[in-house]
Amino acid sequence: MLRKFLPSPLIRLSWGLVSVVLSAMLIGDAFLHPIPDKRVQLFEVRQSLAQSLALQYSALATQEAFDSIQLAMEMLIAQEKDLLYANLSSLNEDYALTAGTPLPDMVIPEESFSTLDFFQVPIFWGEVEWGVLQLQYQPTEPNIIEGVLGNPGVRFVMFIACVSFLGFYLILRRTLRHLD
């Protein structure tokens, strides 16, 4: 009676071979990293943008071109769809330029740490740190289904599992019929 609920030995063997292939892929990914992490890439792009803006705004602040900085920040907010808020403020709080609207529950990381959703970069006046540029992005917390199915690595593993199962099943079925 219980036997009709168990998969056939051919299906169990095919899934066993699929698990060997997936294990090899995951171990290879752990050591070789052929599948890039989207969040790491996004952090690096945003960090590069923040550093470039800090250099430009440092040069403009040295020339006291605060109107140009304000205009550039507003244009940046209008162009970058994920960027919600930009703030440039001096350390002694003489100047504070803002563009966009921050999220009401914005959490500013301590010290000068940056996260995927919030960047802080120092602004220099010559050799002296004059202020800080803060950039707040749309939160990147997708729901679980989007996070799993939207991940190209997960989709790739699922594709390999399905294709290899079908291939192993067909090859084993034909081989076992031929042996009988």
Side-chain angles (χ1 to χ4, degrees):
M1 180 77 173
L2 182 64
R3 187 173 183 160
K4 70 179 181 180
F5 294 110
L6 294 175
S8 71
L10 183 59
I11 291 176
R12 288 194 313 252
L13 182 58
S14 296
W15 277 119
L17 293 172
V18 168
S19 66
V20 169
V21 169
L22 293 180
S23 297
M25 285 178 54
L26 294 174
I27 290 170
D29 181 49
F31 290 108
L32 304 174
H33 306 294
I35 302 172
D37 186 355
K38 184 179 175 183
R39 293 176 62 87
V40 170
Q41 290 178 329
L42 183 60
F43 182 85
E44 290 172 354
V45 167
R46 288 178 176 179
Q47 182 180 33
S48 178
L49 174 65
Q51 290 171 344
S52 297
L53 290 173
L55 289 173
Q56 293 171 9
Y57 295 167
S58 290
L60 290 170
T62 303
Q63 298 170 2
E64 296 186 15
F66 297 111
D67 292 337
S68 297
I69 295 173
Q70 180 68 42
L71 179 63
M73 287 171 54
E74 290 171 1
M75 291 173 60
L76 179 69
I77 292 292
Q79 184 177 0
E80 292 288 324
K81 62 179 178 156
D82 291 340
L83 185 60
L84 300 175
Y85 178 70
N87 176 34
L88 177 98
S89 57
S90 62
L91 294 178
N92 60 7
E93 300 180 9
D94 288 344
Y95 290 98
L97 305 171
T98 62
T101 307
L103 291 176
D105 56 347
M106 178 173 72
V107 176
I108 299 175
E110 294 185 22
E111 298 180 17
S112 62
F113 292 111
S114 294
T115 65
L116 184 58
D117 300 330
F118 189 84
F119 280 84
Q120 296 185 99
V121 185
I123 301 293
F124 290 92
W125 190 296
E127 297 287 324
V128 178
E129 186 174 342
W130 175 79
V132 64
L133 172 66
Q134 298 174 330
L135 302 174
Q136 183 187 19
Y137 288 89
Q138 188 75 23
T140 55
E141 298 295 327
N143 65 34
I144 293 174
I145 294 173
E146 286 178 9
V148 170
L149 296 180
N151 186 334
V154 171
R155 288 195 315 251
F156 179 68
V157 168
M158 289 171 52
F159 173 77
I160 294 297
C162 293
V163 169
S164 62
F165 174 78
L166 182 62
F168 290 142
Y169 180 80
L170 294 175
I171 289 170
L172 289 171
R173 186 177 76 175
R174 183 174 176 154
T175 303
L176 292 175
R177 279 189 186 165
H178 183 68
L179 289 176
D180 281 345

